[in-house]
Amino acid sequence: MRRLYFVSRDGQILYKIAKIISEYITTPELHYLYGSRRAWYIPSLQSMPVDQALRSLIGTGKTVHEALILAGLTISEIDLFINKGKSKESDSRISNDLINNLLSNTHFCSVLSKHISESAESAKKYLKQNNLYKTKKWSLVDSGWFLNCQTYLYNILSSTGWKGRVTGFYLGLGGCVPSHKVSGKAYIFFDDRKHSLPLQKYHLLVEHVLLPADHSSVIGYVTTKGIAKPVFHTKNIDPDSAAYANHLHSLALQATRESAESGLLFDKIEAYQNLALTNLTRFLKRPSPSETMALAYLPVQFSHTSTAQCYITTLVTPLNMQTVQKILTQLLRFHKESIRIPWPEGSASILPQPFRYMTLKILSLLRFLQCHITLLFPLAKKHNSNNELNS
């Protein structure tokens, strides 16, 4: 590999660590690439027929309003096509009749295609500015999980005739990633099959607690005076979140430099890795009340492709009978539901004893079942995989 592209936000702290490592050993070129699932999703639809693009846009549980806003349509355009100038969110619930009516409207198809095309052109220009088209010997670096970013990026690049194959290095992957022919090869650092910790099940914590960034998500690109620049979800992120990210970054970089200078990072990497994984397992599965409360109010974004605020919540949810029932449903489900409890173990850790101990034990058992149940029920695995990809 001649070049590594660290995908923004989750890749920011990894990029900073790699920059320090590059002072001590020879590495490929290191670049920070502003992108995300949301930024690359709409441009990846350009090669699809408009009917297929619209049906892809409308995911489970989304309104047509939300899907079209994601595609770049304005409120006035959406009202014109759906509600005849009257903004009624309830009128835009997903139905086959509504979708067919939209697709039969040539003006709507033209407007949707125009927005997708404009989004794709800006994305391609940004990628070209960062030399992704010049050589095939580069790879992404990101947190991983379902390879959506890599798949969308490959679709964008291949739509221009690029003959390369995107590859990526990731912390972990879920059990339902696309085939190599669809997304390209992916290499993982943390293999769930070799460890007792199902890291992918904690992916929200890994992204928000271990891989925070000091800027908001990239939602697209805009071209101004011939230069494509990223567009961010918000101009500034929450001050507490930014302070937490900067503090964690400084600690990680200090530890990296000290480890590199002592030789520990290179000479004893296996022992170093095992120690880190032991600490990570303990933190995720058995957090102390003080650790939980220090992170309780960090905002967690469940979906980078959604425009709805309901996808953002806090890391810890106070437990009562209703939330306990939701946790049990969440951990034993065969399909994806809209349950917003990102860290059950953290929520349980602030319970008084003996409820804390009992709840954590039950959660540990349920995590074990969640990790191994697809081995016992292949049909459940197939059904769950399809829903994860749709999500």
Short mmCIF file of all heavy atoms in Angstrom, two decimals, residues 7-9 33-44 57 66-73 115-116 118-120 122-123 126 149 152 156 215-223 229-237 301 303-309 312:
data_model
loop_
_atom_site.label_atom_id
_atom_site.label_comp_id
_atom_site.label_asym_id
_atom_site.label_seq_id
_atom_site.Cartn_x
_atom_site.Cartn_y
_atom_site.Cartn_z
N VAL A 7 -10.83 7.53 7.32
CA VAL A 7 -12.15 8.14 7.11
C VAL A 7 -12.52 8.98 8.33
O VAL A 7 -12.37 8.56 9.48
CB VAL A 7 -13.21 7.05 6.85
CG1 VAL A 7 -14.57 7.70 6.57
CG2 VAL A 7 -12.80 6.19 5.66
N SER A 8 -13.04 10.16 8.06
CA SER A 8 -13.25 11.16 9.12
C SER A 8 -14.16 10.69 10.24
O SER A 8 -14.96 9.78 10.08
CB SER A 8 -13.84 12.44 8.51
OG SER A 8 -15.08 12.19 7.88
N ARG A 9 -14.00 11.34 11.34
CA ARG A 9 -14.61 11.09 12.65
C ARG A 9 -14.04 9.82 13.29
O ARG A 9 -13.08 9.90 14.04
CB ARG A 9 -16.14 11.05 12.58
CG ARG A 9 -16.74 12.47 12.49
CD ARG A 9 -18.23 12.47 12.72
NE ARG A 9 -18.61 12.01 14.04
CZ ARG A 9 -18.52 12.78 15.15
NH1 ARG A 9 -18.09 14.02 15.08
NH2 ARG A 9 -18.89 12.30 16.31
N LEU A 33 -9.44 11.69 5.23
CA LEU A 33 -10.45 11.81 4.17
C LEU A 33 -11.81 12.14 4.80
O LEU A 33 -12.34 11.36 5.59
CB LEU A 33 -10.55 10.50 3.39
CG LEU A 33 -11.42 10.50 2.14
CD1 LEU A 33 -10.80 11.38 1.06
CD2 LEU A 33 -11.62 9.08 1.62
N TYR A 34 -12.36 13.30 4.45
CA TYR A 34 -13.68 13.68 4.96
C TYR A 34 -14.76 12.91 4.20
O TYR A 34 -14.96 13.12 3.00
CB TYR A 34 -13.89 15.18 4.83
CG TYR A 34 -13.11 15.99 5.84
CD1 TYR A 34 -11.92 16.62 5.49
CD2 TYR A 34 -13.56 16.10 7.15
CE1 TYR A 34 -11.20 17.34 6.42
CE2 TYR A 34 -12.84 16.82 8.09
CZ TYR A 34 -11.67 17.45 7.72
OH TYR A 34 -10.95 18.16 8.65
N GLY A 35 -15.43 12.02 4.91
CA GLY A 35 -16.49 11.22 4.30
C GLY A 35 -17.30 10.52 5.37
O GLY A 35 -16.98 10.57 6.56
N SER A 36 -18.37 9.86 4.95
CA SER A 36 -19.23 9.12 5.87
C SER A 36 -20.22 8.31 5.06
O SER A 36 -20.31 8.46 3.83
CB SER A 36 -20.00 10.08 6.79
OG SER A 36 -20.97 10.81 6.05
N ARG A 37 -20.96 7.46 5.74
CA ARG A 37 -22.02 6.71 5.05
C ARG A 37 -23.01 7.67 4.38
O ARG A 37 -23.43 7.46 3.25
CB ARG A 37 -22.75 5.83 6.06
CG ARG A 37 -22.02 4.56 6.44
CD ARG A 37 -22.71 3.87 7.60
NE ARG A 37 -22.49 4.59 8.85
CZ ARG A 37 -23.09 4.30 9.99
NH1 ARG A 37 -23.96 3.31 10.04
NH2 ARG A 37 -22.82 4.96 11.09
N ARG A 38 -23.37 8.71 5.12
CA ARG A 38 -24.37 9.64 4.58
C ARG A 38 -23.80 10.43 3.41
O ARG A 38 -24.48 10.65 2.41
CB ARG A 38 -24.83 10.59 5.68
CG ARG A 38 -25.90 11.57 5.20
CD ARG A 38 -26.53 12.31 6.34
NE ARG A 38 -27.44 13.34 5.87
CZ ARG A 38 -28.13 14.16 6.65
NH1 ARG A 38 -28.01 14.06 7.95
NH2 ARG A 38 -28.92 15.07 6.14
N ALA A 39 -22.55 10.85 3.50
CA ALA A 39 -21.94 11.64 2.43
C ALA A 39 -21.78 10.84 1.15
O ALA A 39 -21.84 11.40 0.05
CB ALA A 39 -20.59 12.17 2.89
N TRP A 40 -21.57 9.53 1.27
CA TRP A 40 -21.31 8.70 0.09
C TRP A 40 -22.53 7.92 -0.39
O TRP A 40 -22.51 7.34 -1.48
CB TRP A 40 -20.15 7.74 0.38
CG TRP A 40 -18.84 8.44 0.57
CD1 TRP A 40 -18.52 9.70 0.14
CD2 TRP A 40 -17.68 7.94 1.23
NE1 TRP A 40 -17.23 10.01 0.50
CE2 TRP A 40 -16.68 8.95 1.16
CE3 TRP A 40 -17.36 6.74 1.88
CZ2 TRP A 40 -15.41 8.80 1.71
CZ3 TRP A 40 -16.09 6.59 2.42
CH2 TRP A 40 -15.13 7.60 2.34
N TYR A 41 -23.58 7.89 0.43
CA TYR A 41 -24.74 7.08 0.06
C TYR A 41 -25.47 7.65 -1.15
O TYR A 41 -25.70 6.93 -2.15
CB TYR A 41 -25.70 6.97 1.25
CG TYR A 41 -27.01 6.30 0.90
CD1 TYR A 41 -27.02 5.00 0.38
CD2 TYR A 41 -28.22 6.95 1.08
CE1 TYR A 41 -28.21 4.37 0.05
CE2 TYR A 41 -29.42 6.33 0.76
CZ TYR A 41 -29.41 5.05 0.24
OH TYR A 41 -30.59 4.44 -0.09
N ILE A 42 -25.86 8.92 -1.10
CA ILE A 42 -26.62 9.51 -2.21
C ILE A 42 -25.82 9.49 -3.51
O ILE A 42 -26.34 9.08 -4.56
CB ILE A 42 -27.07 10.94 -1.87
CG1 ILE A 42 -27.98 10.93 -0.63
CG2 ILE A 42 -27.80 11.58 -3.05
CD1 ILE A 42 -29.23 10.08 -0.78
N PRO A 43 -24.53 9.89 -3.51
CA PRO A 43 -23.76 9.80 -4.76
C PRO A 43 -23.66 8.39 -5.32
O PRO A 43 -23.56 8.21 -6.53
CB PRO A 43 -22.37 10.31 -4.34
CG PRO A 43 -22.63 11.22 -3.20
CD PRO A 43 -23.77 10.59 -2.45
N SER A 44 -23.71 7.38 -4.44
CA SER A 44 -23.60 5.99 -4.91
C SER A 44 -24.85 5.54 -5.67
O SER A 44 -24.83 4.50 -6.33
CB SER A 44 -23.35 5.05 -3.73
OG SER A 44 -24.52 4.87 -2.95
N LEU A 57 -33.66 4.53 -1.24
CA LEU A 57 -33.69 5.66 -0.31
C LEU A 57 -34.64 5.43 0.85
O LEU A 57 -34.36 5.78 1.99
CB LEU A 57 -34.12 6.93 -1.06
CG LEU A 57 -33.05 7.88 -1.57
CD1 LEU A 57 -33.67 8.93 -2.45
CD2 LEU A 57 -32.33 8.52 -0.40
N GLU A 66 -38.45 12.30 4.90
CA GLU A 66 -37.08 12.17 5.39
C GLU A 66 -36.16 11.62 4.31
O GLU A 66 -35.01 12.07 4.17
CB GLU A 66 -37.05 11.26 6.62
CG GLU A 66 -35.69 11.20 7.30
CD GLU A 66 -35.67 10.31 8.52
OE1 GLU A 66 -36.75 9.99 9.04
OE2 GLU A 66 -34.56 9.92 8.93
N ALA A 67 -36.64 10.66 3.55
CA ALA A 67 -35.82 10.08 2.49
C ALA A 67 -35.47 11.11 1.43
O ALA A 67 -34.34 11.18 0.96
CB ALA A 67 -36.55 8.90 1.86
N LEU A 68 -36.44 11.96 1.07
CA LEU A 68 -36.20 12.95 0.02
C LEU A 68 -35.35 14.11 0.53
O LEU A 68 -34.56 14.69 -0.24
CB LEU A 68 -37.53 13.46 -0.53
CG LEU A 68 -38.39 12.40 -1.23
CD1 LEU A 68 -39.67 13.01 -1.77
CD2 LEU A 68 -37.62 11.69 -2.32
N ILE A 69 -35.47 14.46 1.81
CA ILE A 69 -34.58 15.47 2.39
C ILE A 69 -33.14 14.96 2.36
O ILE A 69 -32.21 15.70 2.06
CB ILE A 69 -35.02 15.81 3.82
CG1 ILE A 69 -36.31 16.62 3.80
CG2 ILE A 69 -33.93 16.59 4.56
CD1 ILE A 69 -36.90 16.87 5.17
N LEU A 70 -32.99 13.68 2.67
CA LEU A 70 -31.66 13.06 2.61
C LEU A 70 -31.08 13.15 1.20
O LEU A 70 -29.87 13.34 1.02
CB LEU A 70 -31.75 11.60 3.05
CG LEU A 70 -30.46 10.79 3.13
CD1 LEU A 70 -29.53 11.36 4.19
CD2 LEU A 70 -30.76 9.32 3.43
N ALA A 71 -31.93 13.04 0.19
CA ALA A 71 -31.48 13.10 -1.21
C ALA A 71 -31.20 14.53 -1.67
O ALA A 71 -30.68 14.72 -2.77
CB ALA A 71 -32.52 12.47 -2.12
N GLY A 72 -31.57 15.52 -0.84
CA GLY A 72 -31.25 16.90 -1.17
C GLY A 72 -32.42 17.74 -1.65
O GLY A 72 -32.24 18.92 -1.98
N LEU A 73 -33.62 17.17 -1.69
CA LEU A 73 -34.78 17.95 -2.12
C LEU A 73 -35.15 18.96 -1.04
O LEU A 73 -34.98 18.72 0.15
CB LEU A 73 -35.97 17.04 -2.40
CG LEU A 73 -36.05 16.44 -3.82
CD1 LEU A 73 -34.98 15.37 -4.00
CD2 LEU A 73 -37.43 15.86 -4.08
N HIS A 115 -30.85 16.03 -8.30
CA HIS A 115 -30.22 16.16 -6.98
C HIS A 115 -29.17 15.07 -6.76
O HIS A 115 -28.08 15.33 -6.22
CB HIS A 115 -31.29 16.10 -5.89
CG HIS A 115 -32.01 17.40 -5.68
ND1 HIS A 115 -31.44 18.48 -5.05
CD2 HIS A 115 -33.26 17.78 -6.03
CE1 HIS A 115 -32.31 19.47 -5.01
NE2 HIS A 115 -33.43 19.08 -5.59
N ILE A 116 -29.49 13.84 -7.16
CA ILE A 116 -28.52 12.74 -7.00
C ILE A 116 -27.29 13.01 -7.85
O ILE A 116 -26.15 12.81 -7.41
CB ILE A 116 -29.18 11.40 -7.37
CG1 ILE A 116 -30.25 11.02 -6.35
CG2 ILE A 116 -28.11 10.29 -7.45
CD1 ILE A 116 -31.03 9.76 -6.70
N GLU A 118 -26.09 15.94 -8.93
CA GLU A 118 -25.29 17.05 -8.38
C GLU A 118 -24.49 16.59 -7.17
O GLU A 118 -23.32 16.97 -7.00
CB GLU A 118 -26.22 18.20 -7.99
CG GLU A 118 -26.82 18.93 -9.18
CD GLU A 118 -27.83 19.99 -8.76
OE1 GLU A 118 -28.21 20.01 -7.56
OE2 GLU A 118 -28.24 20.80 -9.62
N SER A 119 -25.12 15.78 -6.34
CA SER A 119 -24.42 15.24 -5.17
C SER A 119 -23.25 14.37 -5.59
O SER A 119 -22.16 14.43 -5.02
CB SER A 119 -25.40 14.45 -4.30
OG SER A 119 -24.75 13.85 -3.20
N ALA A 120 -23.47 13.56 -6.61
CA ALA A 120 -22.42 12.65 -7.09
C ALA A 120 -21.25 13.42 -7.70
O ALA A 120 -20.08 13.08 -7.48
CB ALA A 120 -23.00 11.67 -8.11
N SER A 122 -20.18 16.46 -7.02
CA SER A 122 -19.38 17.10 -5.97
C SER A 122 -18.53 16.07 -5.23
O SER A 122 -17.37 16.33 -4.91
CB SER A 122 -20.29 17.84 -4.99
OG SER A 122 -20.90 18.96 -5.60
N ALA A 123 -19.12 14.89 -4.97
CA ALA A 123 -18.37 13.84 -4.28
C ALA A 123 -17.19 13.36 -5.12
O ALA A 123 -16.07 13.19 -4.62
CB ALA A 123 -19.30 12.67 -3.95
N TYR A 126 -14.39 15.87 -5.05
CA TYR A 126 -13.63 15.83 -3.79
C TYR A 126 -12.68 14.63 -3.78
O TYR A 126 -11.52 14.75 -3.37
CB TYR A 126 -14.59 15.76 -2.60
CG TYR A 126 -13.86 15.63 -1.28
CD1 TYR A 126 -13.25 16.73 -0.68
CD2 TYR A 126 -13.74 14.39 -0.64
CE1 TYR A 126 -12.56 16.61 0.51
CE2 TYR A 126 -13.05 14.26 0.55
CZ TYR A 126 -12.46 15.38 1.13
OH TYR A 126 -11.77 15.25 2.29
N CYS A 149 -19.64 2.20 4.16
CA CYS A 149 -18.79 3.26 3.58
C CYS A 149 -17.99 2.73 2.39
O CYS A 149 -17.95 3.36 1.33
CB CYS A 149 -17.84 3.80 4.65
SG CYS A 149 -18.51 5.20 5.57
N TYR A 152 -20.31 2.01 -0.67
CA TYR A 152 -20.78 3.22 -1.33
C TYR A 152 -19.63 3.90 -2.09
O TYR A 152 -19.82 4.37 -3.23
CB TYR A 152 -21.35 4.21 -0.31
CG TYR A 152 -22.53 3.69 0.47
CD1 TYR A 152 -22.82 4.17 1.75
CD2 TYR A 152 -23.38 2.72 -0.05
CE1 TYR A 152 -23.90 3.72 2.48
CE2 TYR A 152 -24.46 2.25 0.67
CZ TYR A 152 -24.72 2.75 1.94
OH TYR A 152 -25.78 2.28 2.66
N ILE A 156 -19.27 4.74 -6.18
CA ILE A 156 -18.99 6.07 -6.74
C ILE A 156 -17.81 6.01 -7.69
O ILE A 156 -17.86 6.51 -8.81
CB ILE A 156 -18.71 7.09 -5.61
CG1 ILE A 156 -19.95 7.25 -4.72
CG2 ILE A 156 -18.31 8.43 -6.20
CD1 ILE A 156 -19.68 8.06 -3.46
N HIS A 215 -14.97 17.27 15.34
CA HIS A 215 -15.85 17.94 14.37
C HIS A 215 -17.06 17.05 14.13
O HIS A 215 -17.06 15.86 14.44
CB HIS A 215 -15.11 18.22 13.05
CG HIS A 215 -14.64 16.98 12.34
ND1 HIS A 215 -15.46 16.22 11.55
CD2 HIS A 215 -13.42 16.38 12.31
CE1 HIS A 215 -14.78 15.21 11.05
NE2 HIS A 215 -13.53 15.28 11.50
N SER A 216 -18.12 17.62 13.58
CA SER A 216 -19.36 16.87 13.38
C SER A 216 -19.27 16.01 12.12
O SER A 216 -18.29 16.05 11.38
CB SER A 216 -20.55 17.83 13.27
OG SER A 216 -20.43 18.66 12.13
N SER A 217 -20.32 15.22 11.89
CA SER A 217 -20.35 14.30 10.76
C SER A 217 -20.38 15.06 9.43
O SER A 217 -20.94 16.15 9.32
CB SER A 217 -21.58 13.40 10.83
OG SER A 217 -21.59 12.65 12.01
N VAL A 218 -19.78 14.44 8.40
CA VAL A 218 -19.84 14.97 7.05
C VAL A 218 -21.11 14.43 6.39
O VAL A 218 -21.34 13.22 6.37
CB VAL A 218 -18.60 14.56 6.23
CG1 VAL A 218 -18.70 15.05 4.80
CG2 VAL A 218 -17.33 15.08 6.89
N ILE A 219 -21.94 15.32 5.85
CA ILE A 219 -23.20 14.88 5.25
C ILE A 219 -23.20 15.02 3.73
O ILE A 219 -24.17 14.63 3.07
CB ILE A 219 -24.40 15.66 5.84
CG1 ILE A 219 -24.26 17.16 5.59
CG2 ILE A 219 -24.53 15.38 7.33
CD1 ILE A 219 -25.48 17.97 6.03
N GLY A 220 -22.15 15.58 3.17
CA GLY A 220 -22.07 15.72 1.72
C GLY A 220 -20.94 16.66 1.33
O GLY A 220 -20.05 16.95 2.15
N TYR A 221 -21.01 17.14 0.09
CA TYR A 221 -19.96 18.03 -0.43
C TYR A 221 -20.62 19.14 -1.24
O TYR A 221 -21.71 18.97 -1.78
CB TYR A 221 -18.98 17.25 -1.32
CG TYR A 221 -18.39 16.04 -0.65
CD1 TYR A 221 -18.98 14.78 -0.81
CD2 TYR A 221 -17.26 16.14 0.16
CE1 TYR A 221 -18.46 13.66 -0.18
CE2 TYR A 221 -16.73 15.03 0.79
CZ TYR A 221 -17.34 13.79 0.61
OH TYR A 221 -16.83 12.69 1.24
N VAL A 222 -19.92 20.25 -1.30
CA VAL A 222 -20.39 21.36 -2.12
C VAL A 222 -19.20 21.89 -2.92
O VAL A 222 -18.08 21.96 -2.41
CB VAL A 222 -21.00 22.48 -1.24
CG1 VAL A 222 -19.97 23.06 -0.28
CG2 VAL A 222 -21.61 23.57 -2.11
N THR A 223 -19.45 22.23 -4.17
CA THR A 223 -18.40 22.75 -5.04
C THR A 223 -18.54 24.26 -5.17
O THR A 223 -19.59 24.75 -5.58
CB THR A 223 -18.47 22.10 -6.43
OG1 THR A 223 -18.34 20.68 -6.30
CG2 THR A 223 -17.36 22.61 -7.33
N LYS A 229 -15.66 20.91 -1.26
CA LYS A 229 -15.37 20.89 0.16
C LYS A 229 -16.45 20.12 0.90
O LYS A 229 -17.60 20.06 0.46
CB LYS A 229 -15.30 22.33 0.70
CG LYS A 229 -14.18 23.17 0.11
CD LYS A 229 -14.16 24.56 0.72
CE LYS A 229 -13.03 25.40 0.14
NZ LYS A 229 -13.00 26.76 0.74
N PRO A 230 -16.09 19.51 2.06
CA PRO A 230 -17.10 18.76 2.82
C PRO A 230 -18.11 19.69 3.47
O PRO A 230 -17.79 20.82 3.84
CB PRO A 230 -16.25 18.04 3.88
CG PRO A 230 -15.02 18.86 4.03
CD PRO A 230 -14.75 19.44 2.67
N VAL A 231 -19.33 19.20 3.59
CA VAL A 231 -20.40 19.90 4.31
C VAL A 231 -20.65 19.12 5.60
O VAL A 231 -20.86 17.91 5.57
CB VAL A 231 -21.69 19.97 3.48
CG1 VAL A 231 -22.81 20.62 4.27
CG2 VAL A 231 -21.44 20.72 2.18
N PHE A 232 -20.64 19.83 6.74
CA PHE A 232 -20.78 19.17 8.03
C PHE A 232 -22.21 19.26 8.54
O PHE A 232 -22.96 20.19 8.20
CB PHE A 232 -19.82 19.79 9.05
CG PHE A 232 -18.36 19.63 8.67
CD1 PHE A 232 -17.70 20.64 7.99
CD2 PHE A 232 -17.69 18.46 8.98
CE1 PHE A 232 -16.36 20.49 7.64
CE2 PHE A 232 -16.36 18.30 8.62
CZ PHE A 232 -15.70 19.32 7.95
N HIS A 233 -22.58 18.29 9.35
CA HIS A 233 -23.94 18.24 9.91
C HIS A 233 -24.24 19.50 10.72
O HIS A 233 -25.31 20.08 10.62
CB HIS A 233 -24.09 16.99 10.79
CG HIS A 233 -25.47 16.81 11.34
ND1 HIS A 233 -25.80 17.11 12.64
CD2 HIS A 233 -26.61 16.37 10.75
CE1 HIS A 233 -27.07 16.87 12.84
NE2 HIS A 233 -27.60 16.42 11.72
N THR A 234 -23.31 19.92 11.53
CA THR A 234 -23.41 21.18 12.25
C THR A 234 -22.06 21.87 12.20
O THR A 234 -21.02 21.22 12.06
CB THR A 234 -23.80 20.97 13.73
OG1 THR A 234 -22.85 20.10 14.35
CG2 THR A 234 -25.19 20.36 13.84
N LYS A 235 -22.08 23.17 12.32
CA LYS A 235 -20.82 23.94 12.24
C LYS A 235 -19.91 23.59 13.41
O LYS A 235 -18.70 23.42 13.25
CB LYS A 235 -21.13 25.43 12.23
CG LYS A 235 -19.90 26.30 11.99
CD LYS A 235 -20.28 27.77 11.85
CE LYS A 235 -19.04 28.62 11.57
NZ LYS A 235 -19.39 30.06 11.44
N ASN A 236 -20.48 23.48 14.59
CA ASN A 236 -19.71 23.13 15.79
C ASN A 236 -20.43 22.03 16.55
O ASN A 236 -21.66 22.05 16.66
CB ASN A 236 -19.54 24.36 16.69
CG ASN A 236 -18.77 25.47 16.04
OD1 ASN A 236 -17.66 25.28 15.59
ND2 ASN A 236 -19.38 26.66 15.96
N ILE A 237 -19.68 21.08 17.08
CA ILE A 237 -20.29 20.02 17.88
C ILE A 237 -20.50 20.52 19.30
O ILE A 237 -20.01 21.59 19.68
CB ILE A 237 -19.45 18.73 17.87
CG1 ILE A 237 -18.10 18.95 18.57
CG2 ILE A 237 -19.24 18.24 16.46
CD1 ILE A 237 -17.31 17.66 18.74
N GLN A 301 -25.31 9.09 18.24
CA GLN A 301 -26.08 9.15 16.99
C GLN A 301 -26.22 7.74 16.44
O GLN A 301 -25.24 7.08 16.12
CB GLN A 301 -25.39 10.05 15.98
CG GLN A 301 -26.20 10.26 14.71
CD GLN A 301 -25.55 11.26 13.76
OE1 GLN A 301 -24.53 11.82 14.07
NE2 GLN A 301 -26.17 11.47 12.61
N SER A 303 -27.87 6.70 13.62
CA SER A 303 -27.81 6.53 12.17
C SER A 303 -27.23 7.77 11.52
O SER A 303 -27.69 8.88 11.77
CB SER A 303 -29.20 6.28 11.59
OG SER A 303 -29.17 6.28 10.19
N HIS A 304 -26.20 7.58 10.68
CA HIS A 304 -25.60 8.70 9.97
C HIS A 304 -26.35 9.00 8.67
O HIS A 304 -26.07 10.00 8.03
CB HIS A 304 -24.14 8.40 9.66
CG HIS A 304 -23.28 8.36 10.88
ND1 HIS A 304 -22.80 9.49 11.50
CD2 HIS A 304 -22.84 7.32 11.63
CE1 HIS A 304 -22.07 9.16 12.56
NE2 HIS A 304 -22.09 7.85 12.65
N THR A 305 -27.27 8.13 8.26
CA THR A 305 -28.03 8.38 7.05
C THR A 305 -29.41 8.95 7.34
O THR A 305 -30.16 9.26 6.43
CB THR A 305 -28.20 7.09 6.23
OG1 THR A 305 -28.81 6.09 7.04
CG2 THR A 305 -26.86 6.58 5.74
N SER A 306 -29.74 9.11 8.63
CA SER A 306 -31.05 9.66 8.98
C SER A 306 -30.94 11.16 9.22
O SER A 306 -29.92 11.67 9.66
CB SER A 306 -31.58 8.98 10.24
OG SER A 306 -32.76 9.61 10.68
N THR A 307 -32.02 11.88 8.93
CA THR A 307 -32.07 13.31 9.21
C THR A 307 -32.89 13.61 10.46
O THR A 307 -33.04 14.76 10.84
CB THR A 307 -32.71 14.06 8.02
OG1 THR A 307 -34.03 13.56 7.79
CG2 THR A 307 -31.88 13.86 6.75
N ALA A 308 -33.44 12.58 11.10
CA ALA A 308 -34.32 12.78 12.24
C ALA A 308 -33.54 12.90 13.55
O ALA A 308 -32.57 12.21 13.77
CB ALA A 308 -35.32 11.62 12.34
N GLN A 309 -34.00 13.77 14.43
CA GLN A 309 -33.35 13.97 15.72
C GLN A 309 -33.58 12.80 16.66
O GLN A 309 -32.87 12.63 17.63
CB GLN A 309 -33.86 15.26 16.37
CG GLN A 309 -33.35 16.53 15.70
CD GLN A 309 -31.83 16.63 15.76
OE1 GLN A 309 -31.23 16.47 16.81
NE2 GLN A 309 -31.21 16.90 14.62
N ILE A 312 -30.77 10.49 17.87
CA ILE A 312 -29.72 10.95 18.77
C ILE A 312 -30.21 10.86 20.20
O ILE A 312 -31.29 11.35 20.53
CB ILE A 312 -29.30 12.40 18.43
CG1 ILE A 312 -28.78 12.47 16.99
CG2 ILE A 312 -28.25 12.90 19.40
CD1 ILE A 312 -28.41 13.86 16.54
#
